[in-house]
Amino acid sequence: MRIDLVTIFPQYFTALDLSLIGRAGQSGLLDLRVHDLRGWTTDRHHSVDDAPYGGGAGMVMRPDVWGRALDEVLAQDPRVDEASTLGARRVLAIPTPSGSPLTQAMAEDLAGADHLVVACGRYEGIDQRVADYYRDAGREVVEYSIGDYVLNGGEAAALVLVEAVTRLLDGFMGNPESLVEESHSAGILEYPAYTRPRSWRGLEVPEVLLGGDHGAIRRWRQERAIDRTVERRPDLVEALPARLLDGAAREHLASRGYAAAETGARPLAIRPARPDEAPRIAALARRTFPLACPDSLPAEAIEDFCRTELSDESFDQMLADPAAHRILVAQVDADLVGYTLTVLSGPRGLPDGLVGGRIAPGAAYLSKCYVDEAWHGSGIAGALLEEAVVDVERTGAASQIVLGTNEANTRAQRFYRRHGFSRAGRRVFVVGGVENRDVVLVRKLTTAVPR
Ligand code: 6GU
């Protein structure tokens, strides 16, 4: 690739002789040249700027000087190693605080050009007709900015562009693996890195990185990357398509307040239900309950259950009694999209049939954990479940949490196993004349100090 930098401060770019860029130049990968704009002035004072038409502060760079410079530089042969310049892709890049933001995608695109000419403006910028003229003439012109702050001139932004583009050139990076890793983590910030010494000024390297559990290391790094992105770049999170995240990442993201969706993550709240929300939760319960019913269950039996057990009134009563019924909801925008219902055993105890050798007398019963079908796979269910567990732990009322899920629903069983539940037995009960077989699963709680 050939890069031409046109500036009134050629010395600014001596920094490019150092480092990899200098070496790339020596290896023939990069032909980088710096030109003094004043070489194209015609007056005694070598003036490159003038006062702005319409008034205002500062000086504007003259189009006539820039036009002579760019005509000449753009006509130079970009490809030292090839006979013909036909079909060469040339780009005129103009750094300006009012340009489009320079992104990695833009750098990747520009890395495919044969010839990059960067016109560094000073003062209040370059007369607009320069960009307009070359664009009208069919040239590819990119007016770019490197961030929302103002520099005195385009030189620093030109250095940034050169570094972002040249490191992507084939054969430039010593270890192209790191480019592959970068593209895998596109749209999300990098996880934190550590090296020796293991202990430094009282600060330790995270334990997980010292062991050889590569799965655990991968998950830990993924979680730290998500945490950082949520904290520092919520704009990236909201633009992150769900397909770039695996199930574990989606669950972690949900625990940090974002529901993964195809068009980008959406702010998510997981919180205790409010007493006035009974009708909305009951409606959610009635539309989600049938999703997890086995095919063998007659439709009337399901309808019957919804009418009697999932009525507005029954949720009203449960919400009025938070010492016995814990209800958490997941909310995206104004919609309730998921809920958990946990029964703390008091006088009511565990439901019939939910007994097994491994279940402690005071166990809490996770009666419901449901998410609207549209949000399946978003990570909401896992985050809700973990919140429900923490919520029971905080009450200090139970040492175990137990649940039953249909024997045929292996998806649900895998989900609960991933969340620390293990099989404690079975239960059989009759609904609408049909025998139902549940697997009973249990998870130990860390006994919290009661409030
Ligand atoms: Cl590209 N130029 C100038 N002068 N200021 C900037 C910039 C560019 N990007 C951010 N600030």
Side-chain angles (χ1 to χ4, degrees), residues 94-98 121 123 144-154 157-158:
I94 306 178
T96 161
S98 42
Y123 318 111
Y144 73 95
S145 158
I146 59 163
D148 294 336
Y149 38 80
V150 179
L151 308 170
N152 277 328

Side-chain angles (χ1 to χ4, degrees), residues 429-449:
F429 54 103
V430 175
V431 178
V434 176
E435 198 176 70
N436 260 276
R437 295 174 167 278
D438 268 6
V439 178
V440 174
L441 300 167
V442 67
R443 171 170 158 179
K444 261 215 195 80
L445 299 177
T446 55
T447 319
V449 183

Side-chain angles (χ1 to χ4, degrees), residues 122-202:
R122 279 264 144 181
Y123 318 111
E124 301 308 304
I126 302 172
D127 186 299
Q128 184 57 43
R129 289 170 293 178
V130 174
D132 294 349
Y133 170 84
Y134 288 102
R135 207 173 269 127
D136 289 349
R139 297 275 183 186
E140 199 178 335
V141 179
V142 179
E143 292 172 272
Y144 73 95
S145 158
I146 59 163
D148 294 336
Y149 38 80
V150 179
L151 308 170
N152 277 328
E155 283 76 12
L159 278 181
V160 167
L161 181 69
V162 167
E163 186 152 339
V165 168
T166 53
R167 66 189 288 280
L168 299 174
L169 299 177
D170 284 338
F172 182 81
M173 283 279 256
N175 178 13
E177 267 297 298
S178 50
L179 290 180
V180 175
E181 214 171 287
E182 256 168 45
S183 73
H184 277 295
S185 56
I188 185 164
L189 302 182
E190 286 269 9
Y191 54 78
Y194 300 86
T195 186
R196 279 177 285 275
R198 191 176 151 160
S199 178
W200 178 75
R201 299 191 181 178

